[in-house]
Amino acid sequence: MPETAELSLIDQTAANEEAFKKTGSLFGLETLHRKESDPGTYEAVWHILSNLCNAAWATGCKVSSSPIAAEGGDALWGLHTPTGEAICISRGISAHAGLLSDMIKNFIRIGYEEYPGFKEGDIFENNDPHYGGIHSPDFDMCMPLFHDGKLIAWASCVSHVADAGSVTPGSIGFMNPDCYSDGIAISMERVGENDRFYPWYEMRIRSRTRTPDFVLGDARGRLAGCITIRERLAEVIEKYGLDFVTDASKEYVEDSRRYAVARVKTQTVPGRIRKSQFKDLAMKGKRVLLAKQDIDCMFNLPMEVTIKSDASVALSLQGASGTVPFGENISPTALKSGLMMGYSHIVGFDMFNSGPISAWDVEMPPEGSWANPFPVDFEAASGVAWAPAVTWVSSLYEVFGRLFQMRGFVEEMAAGAGTIMTAEFSGVNQSGMYLTGLTLEQASQGSPARGYSDGQNSAWCIYTPEADFGNAEITELYYPIMFLGRNVAPDSGGFGKFRGGLGHTAVWMVYNTPGLEYSCGDAGMRSKTVANHGMYGAYPVVPDRPAYAHDTNVKELIDAQKPLIHERGAPDNPAVSSKIKAKVMEDNAVAPFVTPEQLQDYDIIVHPIAGAEAMGDPIERDPEAVANDLNESWTTHRVATDIHGVVTNKPNGHVVVDEAATTAKRQEIRDTRKAQALPFKEWWTAERTRIQAQENMDPAVLRMWASSMALSPDYAVELRTFWKLPEDFVFETQD
Amino acid sequence: MAEFDKADIEKLIDGVLPWPATQDMLKSPKDTNRFDKYVEIMQARVDFSDPILLPLTPNLFIVSEGGNRVVKCRCGQGFGDYRVNWKISALIRVRDDEASISEVYVGREMPDPKWMQIREYICAGCGSQLEVEAMPRGCPPDFDFLPDLDTFYSEWLGRPLPDKSEYVDKTLDAIAEWQA
C-alpha cells in the first residue's frame, strides 16, 4: 500500500478504503508486525498514548472554567491517524469519539487539505449538525500535528458549553423549532492559527452566547488539551521513533477491530434480533415558541441487528418515524457515534478507538426520519439531538445482553439504560451574575440490572463513563438554589428478578435570585410512556415525572421551624403537594417543559433522575432481596406483595420474609396470570379490529405510525401483513 | 484460556457467586467451552429431556423434539417452530386502560394508555411471565431473536447439526393461516 507521504490525505483515505475492501483488514494490515515483533513496546506505547489523552483531559478541564467541564468532566480528547481514525481517547464523554473522527474525515473529504490547507498550529472546529455535528453546544475541535513538516496525526476535543446561543437559554435545546434557532454555528471552520483563536471567533462568541466567559473558557480548555497532546506526542516520537508510533497507531485500530469481531464470534450467536423502542415528546398546550410546536409527538426508534456468519454486524432503523418540530433530530453521523459509544460499553473494546465500528454495516436510516433529517427536512432542529439517540442506543444493551445469555456469558449481560431528563437554570445568581446551564444530576443514574445481580444505585450514565453528579455545594455556588434533598428514589429501577440500580431525587429550593427559569429538559426521557425494556418478564422503569411549586409558604415554614420537603414522596401522595402550599402547584408534571412562571425565592423543584431497567420475572426475585429493599426503604409494601409476591412481617422493627405465605402468594399470582390472560390469537382477532378503528390511540401515536409507514414501505407491509390489514391501510391523522 | 467450574457458573446464574469471583470472570479471557457448560446446566434444570440446542432466554429454549426444532418453556410447555415468533403461541395479558395499568404503576408513575399498552406474555404451563412489552397499539410483537442455527453449529462451533433448517422468519406464514 502506498505510504502517506506519497498521497494526499483524500487519496490516502481512498486507498485505505480499497485496502479494507480487498483484505478485510483496516489499512490492509493483514499482519500486525509491530505487535508481533515487539509486543512489550507495543503495549507500553498504547498506554502512553492513552494517558497522553488523559493528560489533555485533566489539563483542558482545569483550564476550562465552566462547571460542566471543571466539575463534571463533560469533555473528551482524542488522538487520530492522519486520515482521521481515532487511535485512542481520553476519559470523559466517550460518546463523541466517532463524531471527532468523522469531523476530521469530513475536513479531508471536502478538500481542506488543498484550501485553506493544514499547517502546524491550525485550529479547526465544527458544531453544525448539517455537517455531522451533534448539537450546537458540543463544540468539536481538531488540530493537525506535524513532524518534520509532515502531517502525522490529529489531536481532537469536544466540550459541552453551558450556552450556545440557541433560542432558549442553556444547552438542552429541545424547544428549538428549527435549525436557525439552534444557536451559534461553527460550520467546518478554521477558527485560529498558530495556537491562537482569531479575534472574530472570540467576538462572535461574545455577541452570540449568553455566558461567553464560560464558552471561551471551554474553547481555551479544548486548545490547551490539544496542545498537551501535541507536546506529549512529540516526546513519545522522540523516544520510540516516528516509524514505530505511526505503524503501531494503525495496528491499534486494526487490533481493536479484530478484538470486537472475535468477541462477537465467541460470545454471541448469528441471527436476527429485533427491538422496538418508542419515546414520547408531549408538548401540546405547553409554553412553546412557534404555533407548529403546539403538538404531541411520539418517536418510533426501531433497532434490527443482524449478526452475520462472518461475525460482522448489520444494523437497520427501518420504521424510524419522521422529523419533529423540536430540537430532537439527529444526523446519521452523530447517531453512528452514539452507536459506537454504546457498542464500546457492551462489547468492550480492548482498545477504545475507531476499529470495531468498521465491522458494522449501518444501513442509512429512512430519509426524512428523525435519524436522517437532511435534506428532506433541511430546517430540522438538533438542539438536543441526543434525546432520541440515547433512548435508541439503550436497546443495544438489551440486544447484546440477550446474545451473551445465549452463549452462557451471564456475567456480561445487561438490561436497558436509564432515561435522561435534565435540569437547567437561567437567571441571576446570588453573586449578581447571569448564569445558565446544566446541573449534573442526570450524569448519575442507576446502572442496568446484570444477569447475576441488581444494578447499582446512582452510579452510572449511558453517555459517559464519568458518572458523577458533582458536589451539591459546587452546584449551589453557581446557581441560586439550595439542595433540600438528594436521596435514593424507591421503586425506580423497574420490577424484576434483578432490578435496575435505583435513581435519585433532587429537591431544590430557589434562593437568592431576582428570578429564575427552570427548564426540565429532554435529553432522552419518557414521561407519558415507559421503555420497551421488559426483558425476560420484568416491568420497565416508571415514567419521568417532575414537580414544582411556585409562590410557596416555605419561608413561613422555615421561620416557624416546621418540616420542609426533602423527597419525592409516594407516587399517589406526592411530598410537594402534601407538605407545601403554593399558588402554582404542579405535583405530577409531564416533562419536558420550561416553567411558564419565573421562579422566585422559596419556590420548590422536585427533579427525579431515573433508575435503569430490570430483568427477569418479578416473582422470581429472591425474597430476601425484597426484604432488604424494604428495610432500606428502596421499595414499598405494595410492590413487594403485589408485584414480587413476597409477604413479610416486621416482628422487631426489621422486615423478615414469611416463607410459607410468600410461596402461596407466588402460586396465586401464577394462577391469576393464567386465568386473566388470553391465547394470543384470541387477542389478535380483537386487537386488529381496534387497530382499524384507531381505538384509544393518541393523535401522536397515529402520526408516528403514519410517518413510519410512509418512510419505510417494507416496514409498512410487514405491519399490515401481521395484523391482516388491507393493502392500502394507513393510519388517519387529523393533520 | 480461563477455565471456570461448572459449580461457579451455576452460582453466577443464581446470583450468589461472591463478587471477587464474579470480577474474575468478567476480567479473565473467556472460557471457550462456556456454551456447552451452560447448556448442560440448563438441561439439568428443565422439566423435559429433549436436547437443548439454544437457550433463547433463561426460561425459553430451542430444543430438538423428535427431529423438529421447537421452542419450549423450562416447564415443558411447547411454543412451536423456532422460526415462528413464540409469542403468538403464548398467553397474553394486555394492560391498555388505567384500571389494569394501575395494578402495576400507580399515581404519577402511571403511563398513558392512549400512548402505549403493556403486554405480558405468560406461559400456559407454569404461569411464568416470559416477556413484557411496552408498545403503542399497532406494533407487532418483537420477534426477539431468530437464530441462524445451522451457521452457528457448523461454522462457529464446528459441529454441524444432523439436519438442516432454512434460516427464515415464518411468523407471517403462520399468521396467514389465521382467520381474520
Side-chain angles (χ1 to χ4, degrees), chain A residues 276 405 412 540 620 676 724, chain B residues 30 74 93 105 142 178:
Chain A
S276 296
Q405 185 278 143
E412 300 293 339
E620 291 182 26
Q676 291 182 334
K724 281 202 165 177
Chain B
K30 299 299 184 193
R74 61 190 165 176
R93 165 92 195 271
Y105 301 100
D142 281 337
W178 291 1

Side-chain angles (χ1 to χ4, degrees), chain B residues 13 19 65 67 88 103 108 112 118 127 133 146 153 169:
Chain B
I13 295 166
W19 177 234
E65 183 187 54
I88 73 168
E103 292 173 4
R108 65 163 183 268
D112 189 332
I118 294 175
E133 292 180 333
L146 172 67
Y153 270 88
D169 183 349

Side-chain angles (χ1 to χ4, degrees), chain A residues 270 272-273 276 309 402 405 408 411-412 528 536-537 539-540 569 620 676 678 687 695 705 723-724, chain B residues 30 34 38 74 92-93 105 108 112 114 120 125 127 129 131 134 137-138 142 144 146 148 156 169 178:
Chain A
R272 187 199 70 192
I273 191 156
S276 296
S309 57
R402 287 175 181 270
Q405 185 278 143
E411 70 274 25
E412 300 293 339
K528 301 282 279 186
Y536 304 147
Y539 288 109
E620 291 182 26
Q676 291 182 334
L678 300 171
E687 183 69 2
E695 191 179 312
W705 282 131
W723 297 111
K724 281 202 165 177
Chain B
K30 299 299 184 193
R34 177 72 70 91
Y38 189 57
R74 61 190 165 176
I92 185 169
R93 165 92 195 271
Y105 301 100
R108 65 163 183 268
D112 189 332
K114 286 189 175 175
E120 298 161 4
Q129 188 158 288
E131 295 286 353
R137 171 159 285 152
D142 281 337
D144 297 318
L146 172 67
D148 183 354
W156 288 28
D169 183 349
W178 291 1

Side-chain angles (χ1 to χ4, degrees), chain A residues 242-288:
Chain A
L242 179 63
D243 287 347
F244 186 92
V245 174
T246 305
D247 291 350
S249 293
K250 290 179 188 169
E251 290 187 17
Y252 297 137
V253 183
E254 166 61 8
D255 207 354
S256 191
R257 184 198 68 80
R258 292 183 186 186
Y259 177 88
V261 170
R263 188 153 180 212
V264 167
K265 189 151 191 174
T266 56
Q267 295 174 36
T268 73
V269 177
R272 187 199 70 192
I273 191 156
R274 282 179 165 177
K275 189 73 200 159
S276 296
Q277 204 57 266
F278 304 90
K279 172 188 151 39
D280 56 86
L281 176 59
M283 295 301 292
K284 192 166 182 57
K286 294 181 182 173
R287 174 187 173 187
V288 291

